[in-house]
Amino acid sequence: MSRPDRPLTERRAALERRIRAREFVFGIQDGLISTVGLLSGVSVATQSRVTVVITGIAAAVTGGLSMATGSYLASRTEKELFEKELLDQERLAADEPYLAQEALLHSLVAEGLERPEAYRVVKIFSRHQDLLLRTGQEKVLGLGTADISKPVQAGCVMFVSFTIGAAIPLGPFLLGVGPAALVSSWTLSVLALLGVGLFKGRLTGKPMLRSGLEFAAVALGSAVVGWLLGQFFDRFVV
């Protein structure tokens, strides 16, 4: 947790790192869960290592590109909306400062300040337009000042994390460990997501063991579903 006496810029940087870490965790989780289920089904249905490897590589690359593109577009849209709201607030503060002051006053009252106290706060802030603007952005619009919308960085983080996650269950098939490949893939996937869950628990301040077990259970569940689908196609379709 950030110490209150740390410089504001350091605390913002720490927040942004946590947000990137969240994206990294999400990418690994998504890449691993989707891939282990897919490879389990293909392995059981085809009994072909080559087919499994080709499928896994294709899933890792295409899935990574898809996730990266989606993350980039979402972050870019968020950033453009954020910038538009800030520009609108700047224009309002410059052209009609009393409306900006009134909006901030209502927001402070809604958060629990008595109207006379809120009025005094707004009056003080009104002497400093930049401070009034930043406070209005946070209190009225709910827009913080941390620069969290970085489309290119978000896309790159998502692609790398997704492909890393997909590579974990694919590893045993690439190494050609024979009949034990599927079991090894499941084991690595569960252990990897257990570790990711522990890290996520530490990051969010939640119980680490519980978080780790939840992630591991999801990975195992995905693998079992893929295995069952593979059994179905092996018996009734192929």
Side-chain angles (χ1 to χ4, degrees):
M1 182 178 294
S2 299
R3 290 171 50 192
D5 58 343
R6 289 177 60 185
L8 183 58
T9 53
E10 291 185 15
R11 295 172 66 184
R12 288 179 185 169
L15 174 61
E16 291 174 17
R17 286 194 296 270
R18 285 176 177 269
I19 291 171
R20 297 298 164 226
R22 180 198 65 184
E23 293 176 347
F24 192 78
V25 167
F26 174 70
I28 289 182
Q29 170 192 337
D30 195 51
L32 196 156
I33 291 175
S34 61
T35 305
V36 70
L38 174 64
L39 297 187
S40 297
V42 173
S43 175
V44 172
T46 66
Q47 302 294 321
S48 170
R49 172 178 169 269
V50 174
T51 302
V52 173
V53 169
I54 293 174
T55 302
I57 293 175
V61 175
T62 58
L65 289 174
S66 175
M67 293 294 292
T69 302
S71 181
Y72 170 81
L73 292 176
S75 295
R76 183 172 178 178
T77 301
E78 179 186 6
K79 184 175 183 179
E80 290 173 350
L81 290 172
F82 188 92
E83 291 173 345
K84 179 183 180 300
E85 292 294 345
L86 297 187
L87 183 59
D88 289 344
Q89 283 297 301
E90 289 176 0
R91 289 172 178 169
L92 179 64
D95 298 340
E96 300 178 88
Y98 293 106
L99 290 179
Q101 296 167 15
E102 188 68 19
L104 179 57
L105 177 65
H106 285 304
S107 177
L108 293 174
V109 170
E111 291 191 5
L113 281 182
E114 296 293 334
R115 189 174 182 86
E117 295 175 333
Y119 179 79
R120 286 195 294 271
V121 171
V122 173
K123 187 175 180 180
I124 294 172
F125 283 5
S126 299
R127 300 170 189 166
H128 308 278
Q129 186 172 357
D130 289 344
L131 182 58
L132 175 66
L133 180 61
R134 292 197 301 270
T135 307
Q137 291 166 0
E138 179 180 350
K139 296 298 184 183
V140 179
L141 300 177
L143 301 177
T145 55
D147 185 11
I148 61 175
S149 295
K150 297 180 179 178
V152 175
Q153 185 174 346
C156 291
V157 168
M158 188 58 67
F159 177 80
V160 171
S161 61
F162 186 94
T163 52
I164 290 175
I168 294 172
L170 181 59
F173 294 99
L174 283 172
L175 296 176
V177 296
L182 183 58
V183 175
S184 299
S185 178
W186 284 25
T187 303
L188 285 177
S189 298
V190 170
L191 291 177
L193 273 191
L194 176 63
V196 171
L198 291 173
F199 175 71
K200 177 252 184 183
R202 180 180 179 183
L203 193 67
T204 59
K206 301 296 183 181
M208 293 176 59
L209 182 59
R210 178 180 176 180
S211 178
L213 292 176
E214 286 177 352
F215 273 52
V218 171
L220 184 60
S222 178
V224 170
V225 170
W227 182 82
L228 291 174
L229 287 174
Q231 290 284 358
F232 173 80
F233 281 103
D234 182 44
R235 295 183 181 184
F236 302 106
V237 179
V238 179

